[in-house]
């Protein structure tokens, strides 16, 4: 079991498979990209599967989310999914992706055992997509979403970040589109995880802003705390159902008290929080020949030291050195 001093138990493992990405989203990284991790520092497929096996069979993990960077850039992804699906007990598996490569991989991932996907899409307008991502790949994302739905990777969730002056006028249109295509839309407040450290709290579109905009066109009924559990998204029933919309208010309505996550970076570090400034090395233990029991002990110790919250409301908050692309969402 992975428990901390506040009694929270981690059952959800987020695994970053690569720090690389084929987009350059303005809220994540600079246009020229980043200094990528050297290949020898990345966990191998065997190392990733071994750590997931320890987490699932020894530490109580029941859900595994593959992230990046962009996880579809990982050559061994389908094989990793297939091997994790063979574990006993079998964890629920999902993938967070920008969707560009989904059209060619969705069916293979489903056949390997992947349960569902989260796809990032911030706009319905190709020209705005190009401005926000610095790439002209909007059609590829739409095709990837359709392929995921056809492959049965349901529910297909769409993650959207609204940015002032770019797409903050699209909330209602995005929700209407998601309902039409049977996707579950989730708005995410912009978080201070950009490589260029340009985030400013006073300039972000808040959960309150998003809900106020949506209510100009839709009736929203809160789903209720009992339905939410430890999920990061607060959800609302739209126009009486069956469709729902979620808002992840990491900044203005933090949900740290219910957090059940532990995170593994692409280079084998354990992070107890997206906003943590400390990491615990598992790669070194793996490569020095440590047995599973020792790796589990190190992991438990790291989680025991998890802080009460992210501290975004603390004036002394220091943004993590790693951008979101290197941590995993």
């Amino acid at each position: 079991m992975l428990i901390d001093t506040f009694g929270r138990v981690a059952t959800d493992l987020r695994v970053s498979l690569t720090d690389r990405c084929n987009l350059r989203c303005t809220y994540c990284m600079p246009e020229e990209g980043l200094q990528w991790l050297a290949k020898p520092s990345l966990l191998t497929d065997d190392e990733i599967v071994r750590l997931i096996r320890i987490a699932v069979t020894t530490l109580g993990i029941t859900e595994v989310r593959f992230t990046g960077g962009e996880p579809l850039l990982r050559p061994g992804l389908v094989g990793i999914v297939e091997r994790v699906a063979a574990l006993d007990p079998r964890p629920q598996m999902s993938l967070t992706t920008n969707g560009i490569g989904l059209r060619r991989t969705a069916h293979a991932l489903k056949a390997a055992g992947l349960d569902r996907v989260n796809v990032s899409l911030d706009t319905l307008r190709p020209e705005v997509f190009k401005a926000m991502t610095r790439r002209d790949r909007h059609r590829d994302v739409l095709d990837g979403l359709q392929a995921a739905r056809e492959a049965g990777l349901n529910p297909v969730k769409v993650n959207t970040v609204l940015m002032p002056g770019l797409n903050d006028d699209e909330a209602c249109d995005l929700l209407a589109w998601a309902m039409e295509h049977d996707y579950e839309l989730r708005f995410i407040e912009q978080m201070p995880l950009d490589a260029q450290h340009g985030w400013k709290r006073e300039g972000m579109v808040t959960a309150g802003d998003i809900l106020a905009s949506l209510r100009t066109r839709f009736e929203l009924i809160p789903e209720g705390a009992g339905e939410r559990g430890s999920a990061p998204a607060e959800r609302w029933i739209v126009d009486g159902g069956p469709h729902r919309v979620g808002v992840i208010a990491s900044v203005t309505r933090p949900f740290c008290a219910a957090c059940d996550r532990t995170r593994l970076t692409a280079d084998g570090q354990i992070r107890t929080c997206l906003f943590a400034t400390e990491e615990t090395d598992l790669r070194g233990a793996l490569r020095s020949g440590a047995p599973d029991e020792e790796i589990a002990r190190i992991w438990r110790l790291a989680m025991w030291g998890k802080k009460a919250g992210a501290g975004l409301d603390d004036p002394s908050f220091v943004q993590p050195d790693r951008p979101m692309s290197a941590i995993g969402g």
Side-chain angles (χ1 to χ4, degrees):
M1 180 181 294
L2 291 171
I3 189 170
D4 64 32
T5 55
F6 300 94
R8 297 169 298 192
V9 177
T11 58
D12 185 335
L13 170 61
R14 306 295 171 98
V15 181
S16 175
L17 297 178
T18 178
D19 61 326
R20 295 175 183 266
C21 188
N22 42 12
L23 296 180
R24 295 292 182 269
C25 296
T26 56
Y27 52 78
C28 185
M29 69 173 75
E31 185 172 6
E32 65 275 13
L34 299 168
Q35 182 67 45
W36 307 122
L37 294 169
K39 188 172 182 179
S41 70
L42 296 174
L43 294 177
T44 66
D45 292 0
D46 287 344
E47 289 171 335
I48 289 171
V49 173
R50 182 185 174 194
L51 289 176
I52 295 174
R53 176 177 56 77
I54 292 170
V56 168
T57 62
T58 303
L59 298 174
I61 292 298
T62 59
E63 297 181 50
V64 175
R65 170 84 61 87
F66 297 107
T67 71
E70 173 44 52
L72 294 182
L73 295 179
R74 177 89 187 198
L77 172 60
V78 172
I80 291 171
V81 170
E82 188 171 34
R83 292 168 68 183
V84 173
L87 294 175
D88 185 15
R90 180 197 185 282
Q92 285 290 304
M93 287 185 293
S94 59
L95 176 84
T96 295
T97 171
N98 62 30
I100 287 177
L102 263 183
R103 181 172 54 182
R104 58 180 172 77
T105 57
H107 284 82
L109 287 168
K110 179 64 177 180
L114 191 70
D115 295 300
R116 63 173 188 82
V117 293
N118 287 30
V119 179
S120 299
L121 180 65
D122 299 324
T123 178
L124 298 176
R125 302 184 299 228
E127 69 278 8
V128 176
F129 182 92
K130 187 174 181 180
M132 294 185 72
T133 67
R134 305 182 178 106
R135 298 291 187 271
D136 190 11
R137 307 295 298 273
H138 190 255
R139 184 72 254 170
D140 293 322
V141 180
L142 296 180
D143 290 345
L145 279 162
Q146 181 178 339
R149 186 182 58 203
E150 292 172 351
L153 291 169
N154 299 311
V156 176
K157 297 184 178 181
V158 176
N159 295 340
T160 296
V161 176
L162 296 181
M163 302 285 289
L166 286 171
N167 64 337
D168 55 337
D169 60 337
E170 288 193 70
C172 290
D173 290 341
L174 281 159
L175 179 52
W177 166 83
M179 292 166 61
E180 177 187 351
H181 291 85
D182 202 25
Y183 304 138
E184 183 176 322
L185 181 63
R186 307 192 312 169
F187 293 98
I188 304 176
E189 288 183 338
Q190 184 194 0
M191 294 178 283
L193 291 168
D194 56 311
Q196 57 270 42
H197 290 196
W199 178 86
K200 289 182 174 59
R201 185 184 182 113
E202 59 272 18
M204 62 177 284
V205 180
T206 68
D209 298 331
I210 294 165
L211 292 170
S213 178
L214 293 177
R215 285 186 170 118
T216 64
R217 193 188 303 183
F218 303 98
E219 178 188 13
L220 302 180
I221 300 174
E223 186 176 58
E227 296 287 336
R228 181 180 182 183
S230 61
E234 296 178 75
R235 297 204 308 176
W236 283 261
I237 301 167
V238 183
D239 289 345
H243 298 288
R244 284 161 170 75
V245 63
V247 178
I248 299 178
S250 302
V251 178
T252 62
R253 302 181 188 178
F255 39 86
C256 302
C259 181
D260 65 349
R261 291 159 194 77
T262 181
R263 299 174 183 277
L264 177 65
T265 67
D267 56 349
Q269 310 301 306
I270 288 298
R271 295 179 68 90
T272 59
C273 174
L274 265 177
F275 305 102
T277 54
E278 304 88 19
E279 298 177 333
T280 300
D281 181 31
L282 291 185
R283 185 189 64 202
L286 277 174
R287 296 182 180 178
S288 66
D292 289 358
E293 295 78 10
E294 174 62 12
I295 292 169
R297 185 194 68 81
I298 296 171
W299 205 329
R300 287 191 186 100
L301 188 61
M303 292 306 296
W304 185 249
K306 185 173 182 173
K307 295 180 179 179
L312 295 182
D313 55 351
D314 187 334
S316 63
F317 170 76
V318 177
Q319 182 171 330
D321 289 334
R322 288 190 191 233
M324 186 159 49
S325 61
I327 299 170

